[in-house]
Amino acid sequence: VNPPAGRTPAGRTLAGRRILVVGASSGIGRSTALAASRAGAGVAITARRRGDLDAAALDGGPHVRAFPADVTDADAVSAMVDDAVAWLGGLDTVVYAAGKATLSPLETTPAEVWQSTFATNVTGAAVVSALCLPHLRDGTYPGTVVLVSSHSVGEPWPGLVAYAASKAALDELGRGLAGEHPTLRVLRVVVGNTATGFADGWDAEAAGTALSRWFEAGYLRHRVLEPDEVADRIVAALADREPPGGRLEEVRIVGEEQPPAP
Ligand SMILES: NC(=O)c1ccc[n+]([C@@H]2O[C@H](COP(=O)([O-])OP(=O)(O)OC[C@H]3O[C@@H](n4cnc5c(N)ncnc54)[C@H](OP(=O)(O)O)[C@@H]3O)[C@@H](O)[C@H]2O)c1
């Protein structure tokens, strides 16, 4: 068990905390895991891509360890949580950053896309949270669940409606968790457009068309964030130690609005 409790200098605000970051092989989850580790936490990380996950663990040093799993495979998730909690020596916090989005207009979105989007973005979060709950209740710190949501909730971007609907469902999961477990802190992190590989799998031509449409309609009015600045805000929110209260907390991390290009 490696958490660096009790021997961390001032400023390492998460000293002694034991954190599981789900969706940490790249992007916001990866940055959050490494930022939490720099802040003194022991961090277990999970995702499907073993090579990228191992590379993140290597970058994080001895207090970050990789436990690969696919969040849509409940048995694999159960084994991953067991192994991660055993290595951490308990669990205070889970950050659910796993997510996927398929660019597809409603009219031609097949049922499989709806199903896989909800399996990753919602059901995975519910399964992980349920498995973590017994550990979170027993922790030294108030158990904390962080759900990475999106500013597209309430403003679904054309072509990404299944994604926005899944994030709205994720938010409702958070409200339910907070209501059923008033001793937990449950945070909905509303993230704006961030420079990650999230859209890497999209067809280039369809993405180009969608980008022009979003630009024209004002969806792209906010500065694009870097994953490290999102991660720093998440770590700051974890260090806050807000008392739990049976309600969903909201942390909004959206770039400032920019004037339209001349
Ligand atoms: N980038 C943005 O503009 C933006 C804006 C708002 C919200 N968000 C949210 O931020 C979160 C992180 O996204 P990102 O932008 O950092 O993109 P990303 O780099 O693609 O990260 C997505 C992460 O989810 C993991 N993941 C996906 N499917 C999984 C599965 N079945 N099992 C386990 N892990 C899985 C991926 O790992 P593997 O592929 O290795 O499994 C990866 O680590 C997502 O929830 C996304 O919805 C992003």
Side-chain angles (χ1 to χ4, degrees):
V1 178
N2 287 321
R7 55 176 182 74
T8 44
R12 300 196 68 185
T13 50
L14 299 184
R17 298 277 279 270
R18 296 162 299 185
I19 302 181
L20 170 63
V21 182
V22 184
S25 58
S26 60
I28 293 164
R30 183 187 200 279
S31 289
T32 301
L34 300 190
S37 162
R38 285 193 299 274
V43 187
I45 58 175
T46 190
R48 294 166 302 180
R49 285 171 291 160
R50 281 169 185 266
D52 290 337
L53 203 62
D54 285 341
L58 204 63
D59 278 358
H63 302 302
V64 181
R65 179 76 66 93
F67 299 90
D70 182 334
V71 296
T72 66
D73 177 342
D75 292 338
V77 172
S78 176
M80 176 278 290
V81 169
D82 286 350
D83 292 346
V85 171
W87 176 72
L88 288 167
L91 186 70
D92 313 296
T93 300
V94 56
V95 177
Y96 195 88
K100 64 166 283 184
T102 301
L103 181 63
S104 173
L106 269 176
E107 195 175 349
T108 52
T109 301
E112 298 76 47
V113 165
W114 280 95
Q115 283 153 0
S116 65
T117 303
F118 272 69
T120 302
N121 298 0
V122 188
T123 312
V127 169
V128 167
S129 302
L131 288 162
C132 290
L133 274 171
H135 307 291
L136 295 173
R137 277 197 299 258
D138 291 348
T140 318
Y141 297 93
T144 303
V145 177
V146 176
L147 302 172
V148 177
S149 185
S150 167
H151 73 324
S152 68
V153 174
E155 189 181 87
W157 296 19
L160 291 177
V161 178
Y163 171 72
S166 74
K167 290 297 187 183
L170 180 72
D171 293 350
E172 205 62 1
L173 167 68
R175 282 185 198 96
L177 256 180
E180 286 191 5
H181 299 276
T183 60
L184 285 188
R185 264 188 94 189
V186 186
L187 286 90
R188 166 190 188 233
V189 179
V190 181
V191 178
N193 210 2
T194 306
T196 69
F198 197 58
D200 279 359
W202 295 355
D203 172 76
E205 200 183 320
T209 308
L211 272 173
S212 310
R213 184 173 179 190
W214 295 337
F215 185 76
E216 301 273 308
Y219 292 102
L220 296 174
R221 63 190 180 278
H222 299 100
R223 177 178 66 83
V224 177
L225 301 165
E226 291 302 323
D228 282 350
E229 55 182 317
V230 177
D232 287 346
R233 292 280 307 279
I234 292 175
V235 165
L238 290 177
D240 247 4
R241 304 204 187 193
E242 277 278 316
R247 62 178 177 86
L248 184 65
E249 277 179 53
E250 179 171 306
V251 177
R252 201 176 156 77
I253 313 173
V254 178
E256 58 279 3
E257 282 199 29
Q258 294 179 315

